[in-house]
Amino acid sequence: MKLSSKARYGLKVMCFLAEHIGEGAMPLSVISNAVESSDKYIEQIIMALRKSDLVKATRGVLGGYYIENPDEISVGAILRTLEDGLVIADCLAEGNECPNKAKCHTHDVWDKLYQEINNFLDTMTLTSIIKK
């Protein structure tokens, strides 16, 4: 399993915002510069994170992006937002019931792996990873 650059940069963005919590909203250009990516690419990532209510935004001269409660935001929630739920096999995708599930010897392997990955990622919060 390989995570996309969108997931990797998304986690960097969230860590940056967690490190600067309480400093007000961060402009897109500051975030992009900090994570070393383009404004356009980071804006796409932030829009997905906003849609999942992980990132908040303010408008105006002092506008930008911020997060609330980094100790309540899991790495799993961030990655599932940016990686289509972290589905590792098509047969596990929501609404895609495998017709051979009962006879498939590998379905339980993929399901268990999916559960373990998500459980692990859900134990890590933004606060826990930025304090290391």
Side-chain angles (χ1 to χ4, degrees), residues 24-63:
M26 293 288 159
L28 179 64
S29 60
V30 170
I31 299 168
S32 299
N33 188 50
V35 300
E36 300 175 337
S37 187
S38 72
D39 287 358
K40 187 174 182 176
Y41 190 53
I42 297 305
E43 185 174 34
Q44 291 173 1
I45 292 168
I46 288 175
M47 291 305 114
L49 294 167
R50 283 187 67 202
K51 189 174 181 181
S52 291
D53 206 30
L54 296 171
V55 171
K56 310 289 185 200
T58 60
R59 293 180 171 215
V61 176
L62 299 176

Side-chain angles (χ1 to χ4, degrees), residues 87 90-98:
V87 174
D90 290 340
C91 62
L92 300 176
E94 191 173 316
N96 190 19
E97 186 65 31
C98 179

Side-chain angles (χ1 to χ4, degrees), residues 45-113:
I45 292 168
I46 288 175
M47 291 305 114
L49 294 167
R50 283 187 67 202
K51 189 174 181 181
S52 291
D53 206 30
L54 296 171
V55 171
K56 310 289 185 200
T58 60
R59 293 180 171 215
V61 176
L62 299 176
Y65 303 98
Y66 64 97
I67 61 170
E68 298 173 338
N69 303 319
D71 53 327
E72 294 179 11
I73 300 174
S74 73
V75 172
I78 297 164
L79 297 182
R80 280 189 296 275
T81 295
L82 299 171
E83 287 289 335
D84 295 326
L86 283 177
V87 174
I88 60 171
D90 290 340
C91 62
L92 300 176
E94 191 173 316
N96 190 19
E97 186 65 31
C98 179
N100 297 320
K101 182 178 173 180
K103 297 184 280 184
C104 181
H105 297 290
T106 63
H107 184 273
D108 288 343
V109 173
W110 309 135
D111 188 46
K112 180 71 173 169
L113 180 59

